[in-house]
Amino acid sequence: MSATAIIKPIVSKLYCSASQVVVLTVRKRPHVVNGGGFVVTDCSQKIIFKVDGCGTLGIKGELILRDADGESLLLIRRKGGMFQALSIHRQWKGYMVDYEGTEKLVFSLKEPNSCLAKNIKVNVVPKKCNINMDWDFEVRGSFPDKACVIIDSAGNTVAKVGVKKEAQLMMVSKDLYQVEVQPGFDQAFVCGVVAVLDNIYDESTHC
C-alpha cells in the first residue's frame, strides 16, 4: 500500500491525490477554431479539466481552466502593457475568481525570452515551498517534445509530461500526451501550468 502523501493544495485539495500517482491524458479539443483549447481526462476517459484558448474566448493572451462541469477554476492572463515592454521576461498570471468576481492571484510564470531556454520558473502566491528560493516550481526539459518535468524548490518531482512509448512507435501526434502528477500535488495547478506552456509554444490554445 502506498504511503499517504502530504497534501499541497494550490487551487484546491479536491485535486490532490493522497496516495496514488494520477495519470492524466491531454487531448486537443477537436472540431473547433484555431486556439480552441484542450480537454484533460483520467485513466477511465472521464473529463477532469477543460482549457479554453483564445479561439474560444476571443481574447489573445487569456486562458481559462475549468472543471468537468465547466466551472472556472483558474483565469490565466499574459501580463501586458508597459510592464511587459520593460520586462526581460513576459509573465503569465493565474487567478482564482470567487462568486463576486474578485480575482485572487495564485501563481505567476516567467515566459522564456528564447525558444532555446530549457527552464521555466513558476512562483506561487502565497509561497508554498522553500522561502529561500526565488522560485517555487520549475519546468525542466522540452515541452514541445513532450519530454519535461515540473519540480518544486526542494527538488521533488511534481509532474512529468510525456508520450507513451507505444504512441511514439506509432508516430501518434503529440496533440495527445500524458501528464503524471505525483501524490499530494495539485492537479489543477499542474494543468494550469501546462495550459500556459501550450500557449507559449503555439499549440492548441494559441491563435
Side-chain angles (χ1 to χ4, degrees):
M1 182 179 294
S2 301
T4 300
I6 297 173
I7 300 298
K8 301 175 182 178
I10 295 174
V11 176
S12 171
K13 64 182 180 181
L14 294 174
Y15 302 110
C16 301
S17 170
S19 60
Q20 301 293 327
V21 174
V22 175
V23 180
L24 302 171
T25 298
V26 178
R27 184 189 302 271
K28 181 177 179 179
R29 187 178 291 139
H31 308 305
V32 295
V33 295
N34 186 36
F38 58 82
V39 295
V40 181
T41 57
D42 64 13
C43 58
S44 63
Q45 302 301 310
K46 177 184 175 183
I47 293 177
I48 306 299
F49 304 111
K50 304 172 185 177
V51 173
D52 290 337
C54 64
T56 303
L57 301 173
I59 305 172
K60 253 191 170 182
E62 186 165 304
L63 312 169
I64 296 180
L65 175 74
R66 303 183 188 277
D67 65 14
D69 296 321
E71 295 296 322
S72 174
L73 296 174
L74 284 173
L75 171 62
I76 306 170
R77 293 196 190 104
R78 186 168 62 190
K79 189 73 175 179
M82 185 60 69
F83 177 87
Q84 180 171 309
L86 297 175
S87 176
I88 297 175
H89 296 275
R90 291 186 292 182
Q91 288 196 13
W92 289 79
K93 293 184 179 292
Y95 302 87
M96 292 177 65
V97 182
D98 65 20
Y99 66 95
E100 295 180 337
T102 303
E103 296 178 0
K104 175 187 175 184
L105 181 63
V106 176
F107 73 88
S108 61
L109 182 152
K110 292 181 180 179
E111 185 172 331
N113 55 4
S114 167
C115 61
L116 299 177
K118 291 294 184 182
N119 298 347
I120 299 176
K121 293 178 171 57
V122 185
N123 291 93
V124 171
V125 182
K127 294 180 74 67
K128 299 289 184 182
C129 294
N130 189 339
I131 60 174
N132 296 317
M133 301 286 287
D134 66 352
W135 51 273
D136 300 285
F137 298 91
E138 189 172 54
V139 182
R140 295 181 179 177
S142 173
F143 181 78
D145 292 330
K146 302 301 175 283
C148 65
V149 296
I150 301 173
I151 65 166
D152 65 16
S153 58
N156 301 307
T157 296
V158 174
K160 296 180 180 179
V161 177
V163 180
K164 279 186 173 182
K165 289 183 179 178
E166 310 91 84
Q168 290 176 330
L169 293 173
M170 294 171 62
M171 302 298 288
V172 173
S173 167
K174 290 188 176 67
D175 286 338
L176 178 67
Y177 56 93
Q178 290 188 329
V179 180
E180 294 184 4
V181 184
Q182 296 299 308
F185 291 104
D186 194 320
Q187 299 152 41
F189 166 71
V190 168
C191 287
V193 171
V194 168
V196 177
L197 297 174
D198 178 283
N199 195 278
I200 289 174
Y201 292 106
D202 298 345
E203 297 196 7
S204 63
T205 61
H206 189 273
C207 290

